[in-house]
């Protein structure tokens, strides 16, 4: 058995947590490839190291002396861990290198990635594992996109390494410039390493015992799911569940590597297993999870399309693409298309997009709905239960919640319901109650 283990920021926030991480790794000799994030919050109101580095960069741009002074606060986060663990080494050489780069004029991505880099150096020294810098093998193309072919080719020269510590979140392009994944990207690094090193299991350690059925900030003690398919996890992660980065699914999925979500504070818990559909071993829940997000805008366009039928949708989507606005969902019917986007994405661009669409397709109706929340009900077995969509929508209607939008793909793994933001929490609550009732009834039948 060979494992990759990735530890999130909450698992590395302070000396106590770092010691837990070290103990977890040493407790299982199959934990060979270690991927750390940057230290997270130590307490409520604390600041994550990554956010400190972002602030440091902004200060550095305007005042280099103040930037170097602020960086001392970041140094102290690591020095505190070293002192509290009673270790006899320092990271001073690493600090000096970073400060030197700051004085030369550095990129934002380089500085922001130093949280993971320093944590990797720290764990490498404690564990006495070799340190492998991801800039040596994780490649990005000229557009800043992950380059799969170059990455796995670069990993070939490290294939004989029996163990290593590799910081998460970043890599480099062919010219050596540091590039980062989106926030939470250490999950992606762990998945890439798992595939590249051909491991048997990818353990992803966080501060919850697996994948929760619903947001614990809304539902009291919602419980975790024992087994989740790759497809379900991707849908849940994309729609707001924050345990695992949605893009991290792909490398592990393509290699058929199981992912185990585990709790650093309760390592004895089984956690949740993310598996291919054909490896789901237990009785799979009707509804695996319920999640969602606020902050969406729905823009609807209607036209008697006639001869424009072939180009109607393309022209609308092209406007959003050229405005650099990511489209989330596109429910449509003949002559009508609704484009759902993040309110943050479209901020400052709405009027220009509407003007351009008016010019391109001349719709006779345009409607913009704001303050929209999307709630996703995800489950591999939803398609197997006749009337499940009706029952889910009825559970919402029974609570006098107005449904403004319904989206469901042909695979029926996910049903997305749009509601007013003010009804978001209430919608999650009623769907969780419906899920619990449905599971209880099914268990009584079995």
């Amino acid at each position: 058995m060979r494992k990759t283990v990735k530890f999130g920021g909450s698992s590395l926030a302070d000396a106590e947590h770092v010691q837990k991480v070290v103990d977890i790794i040493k407790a299982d000799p199959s934990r060979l490839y270690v991927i750390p994030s940057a230290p997270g919050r130590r307490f409520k109101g604390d600041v994550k190291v990554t956010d400190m580095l972002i602030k440091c960069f902004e200060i550095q741009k305007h005042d280099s002396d103040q930037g170097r002074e602020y960086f001392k606060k970041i140094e102290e986060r690591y020095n505190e861990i070293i002192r509290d663990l009673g270790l006899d080494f320092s990271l001073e050489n690493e600090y000096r290198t970073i400060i030197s780069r700051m004085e030369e004029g550095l990129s934002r991505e380089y500085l922001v990635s130093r949280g993971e880099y320093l944590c990797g150096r720290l764990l490498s020294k404690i564990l006495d594992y070799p340190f492998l810098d991801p800039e040596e093998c994780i490649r990005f193309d000229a557009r800043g996109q992950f380059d799969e072919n170059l990455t796995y080719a670069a990993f070939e020269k490290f294939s004989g390494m029996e163990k290593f510590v590799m910081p998460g979140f970043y890599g480099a392009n062919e010219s050596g410039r540091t590039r980062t994944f989106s926030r939470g990207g250490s999950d992606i690094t762990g998945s890439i390493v798992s595939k590249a090193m051909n491991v048997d299991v990818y353990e992803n350690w966080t501060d919850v015992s697996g994948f929760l059925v619903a947001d614990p900030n809304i539902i009291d003690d919602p419980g975790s799911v024992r087994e989740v398919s790759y497809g379900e996890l991707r849908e849940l992660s994309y729609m707001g569940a924050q345990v695992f980065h949605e893009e991290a699914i792909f490398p592990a999925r393509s290699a058929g590597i199981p992912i185990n979500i585990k709790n650093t504070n309760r390592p004895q818990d089984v956690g949740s297993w993310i598996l291919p559909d054909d490896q789901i071993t237990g009785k799979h829940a009707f509804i695996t999870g319920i999640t969602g997000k606020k902050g969406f805008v729905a823009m609807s366009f209607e036209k008697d399309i006639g001869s424009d039928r072939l180009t109607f949708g393309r022209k609308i989507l092209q406007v959003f693409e050229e405005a650099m606005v990511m489209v989330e969902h596109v429910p449509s019917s003949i002559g009508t298309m609704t484009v759902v986007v993040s309110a943050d994405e479209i901020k400052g661009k709405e009027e220009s997009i509407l003007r351009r669409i008016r010019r391109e397709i001349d719709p006779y109706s345009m409607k913009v709905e704001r303050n929209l929340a999307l709630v996703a009900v995800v489950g591999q077995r939803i398609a197997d239960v006749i009337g499940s969509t009706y029952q889910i929508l009825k559970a919402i209607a029974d609570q006098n919640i107005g449904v403004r939008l319904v989206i469901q793909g042909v695979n029926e793994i996910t049903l997305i319901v749009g509601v007013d933001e003010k009804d978001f929490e209430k919608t999650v609550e009623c769907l969780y109650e419906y899920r619990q009732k449905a599971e209880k009834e099914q268990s009584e039948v079995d």
Side-chain angles (χ1 to χ4, degrees):
M1 178 71 72
R2 301 165 69 250
K3 298 178 181 178
T4 298
V5 288
K6 178 264 174 182
F7 293 91
S10 60
S11 299
L12 297 159
D14 54 26
E16 179 184 358
H17 283 86
V18 170
Q19 186 59 59
K20 289 179 182 179
V21 166
V22 171
D23 292 342
I24 286 167
I25 296 168
K26 290 183 175 180
D28 184 347
S30 69
R31 291 172 177 144
L32 303 176
Y33 307 110
V34 181
I35 315 298
S37 298
R41 295 186 185 93
R42 296 162 293 184
F43 46 82
K44 187 176 182 179
D46 194 20
V47 181
K48 298 178 180 179
V49 165
T50 298
D51 290 325
M52 295 176 73
L53 287 162
I54 292 170
K55 182 175 180 180
C56 184
F57 178 78
E58 296 302 320
I59 294 171
Q60 175 74 14
K61 281 196 307 183
H62 303 290
D63 189 324
S64 59
D65 290 337
Q66 287 296 318
R68 288 193 298 275
E69 189 64 27
Y70 186 82
F71 187 76
K72 291 180 181 178
K73 296 181 180 180
I74 297 165
E75 293 180 23
E76 181 54 29
R77 284 292 300 269
Y78 292 93
N79 291 341
E80 181 183 80
I81 293 172
I82 292 170
R83 283 196 309 270
D84 290 350
L85 289 174
L87 304 173
D88 61 355
F89 62 80
S90 76
L91 295 172
E92 291 302 323
N93 289 338
E94 284 77 13
Y95 301 151
R96 282 197 292 270
T97 299
I98 296 169
I99 291 169
S100 175
R101 290 284 300 272
M102 290 172 68
E103 291 172 348
E104 295 169 2
L106 78 178
S107 72
R108 182 182 188 274
E109 286 176 285
Y110 170 81
L111 186 56
V112 172
S113 72
R114 294 307 89 180
E116 280 76 11
Y117 171 82
L118 290 170
C119 212
R121 286 292 188 186
L122 176 64
L123 280 178
S124 173
K125 289 178 181 290
I126 296 172
L127 294 166
D128 194 27
Y129 276 26
F131 177 86
L132 180 56
D133 196 316
E135 291 189 359
E136 296 190 54
C137 41
I138 293 185
R139 292 281 176 263
F140 291 78
D141 63 22
R143 299 172 300 158
Q145 301 298 309
F146 170 62
D147 191 316
E148 182 177 12
N149 293 331
L150 286 178
T151 293
Y152 294 119
F155 261 106
E156 288 180 4
K157 62 183 175 182
F158 304 106
S159 60
M161 293 185 71
E162 294 182 357
K163 60 179 69 173
F164 57 70
V165 174
M166 175 183 284
F169 183 48
Y170 73 97
N173 61 18
E174 282 295 272
S175 65
R177 180 185 175 89
T178 303
R179 302 309 301 257
T180 60
F181 295 109
S182 58
R183 288 295 290 266
S186 292
D187 288 343
I188 305 174
T189 305
S191 192
I192 292 168
V193 169
S194 296
K195 179 177 178 178
M197 303 309 290
N198 193 29
V199 302
D200 300 291
V201 173
Y202 171 23
E203 290 182 348
N204 190 285
W205 294 80
T206 181
D207 57 0
V208 293
S209 294
F211 205 93
L212 300 180
V213 174
D215 186 344
N217 295 309
I218 300 174
I219 304 298
D220 228 12
D221 190 22
S224 61
V225 182
R226 180 68 178 269
E227 294 178 344
V228 185
S229 71
Y230 288 133
E232 288 172 324
L233 181 67
R234 186 187 174 204
E235 292 286 334
L236 288 163
S237 297
Y238 182 75
M239 283 304 299
Q242 298 180 2
V243 173
F244 198 71
H245 196 296
E246 67 268 15
E247 292 179 24
I249 292 293
F250 299 112
R253 184 178 193 170
S254 66
I257 298 170
I259 303 167
N260 193 191
I261 307 290
K262 290 180 71 66
N263 188 342
T264 305
N265 300 309
R266 292 183 56 84
Q268 72 276 12
D269 290 355
V270 173
S272 295
W273 282 92
I274 295 88
L275 304 165
D277 294 349
D278 60 1
Q279 289 184 26
I280 299 291
T281 58
K283 176 182 173 294
H284 206 44
F286 163 48
I287 295 175
T288 301
I290 301 158
T291 188
K293 294 184 284 189
K294 297 180 181 180
F296 290 96
V297 174
M299 306 176 76
S300 299
F301 311 97
E302 189 172 1
K303 177 180 174 136
D304 291 329
I305 54 178
S307 60
D308 293 335
R309 187 170 181 177
L310 282 174
T311 61
F312 176 68
R314 176 184 60 78
K315 286 181 177 179
I316 291 173
L317 293 178
Q318 186 173 353
V319 171
F320 285 90
E321 180 184 352
E322 292 176 358
M324 300 296 288
V325 173
M326 181 73 71
V327 172
E328 301 287 341
H329 303 282
V330 192
S332 63
S333 62
I334 183 70
T336 302
M337 176 177 281
T338 299
V339 179
V340 181
V341 297
S342 162
D344 290 338
E345 279 267 327
I346 204 169
K347 189 175 182 180
K349 300 179 179 180
E350 183 179 317
E351 289 303 318
S352 63
I353 286 174
L354 292 175
R355 283 197 302 271
R356 174 83 185 276
I357 289 177
R358 189 178 289 112
R359 185 169 66 249
E360 292 289 335
I361 67 169
D362 189 28
Y364 67 74
S365 172
M366 296 195 304
K367 182 180 179 182
V368 179
E369 292 194 59
R370 300 178 178 83
N371 304 316
L372 189 69
L374 299 183
V375 181
V377 181
V378 179
Q380 198 75 31
R381 290 183 57 230
I382 289 177
D384 299 334
V385 180
I386 296 173
S388 59
T389 298
Y390 163 75
Q391 293 294 339
I392 290 167
L393 294 176
K394 183 177 184 299
I396 297 172
D398 287 346
Q399 297 300 315
N400 295 315
I401 298 169
V403 173
R404 297 168 62 183
L405 185 72
V406 177
I407 305 166
Q408 187 171 34
V410 293
N411 64 0
E412 296 187 79
I413 189 175
T414 304
L415 176 67
I416 297 173
V417 180
V419 298
D420 287 326
E421 288 186 343
K422 63 180 177 59
D423 292 324
F424 175 69
E425 288 81 5
K426 187 177 178 181
T427 303
V428 173
E429 289 170 354
C430 77
L431 289 175
Y432 179 78
E433 289 177 7
Y434 167 70
R435 188 250 189 204
Q436 296 304 94
K437 180 182 177 182
E439 290 299 303
K440 182 180 178 181
E441 290 173 353
Q442 183 61 49
S443 65
E444 290 172 352
V445 170
D446 294 342

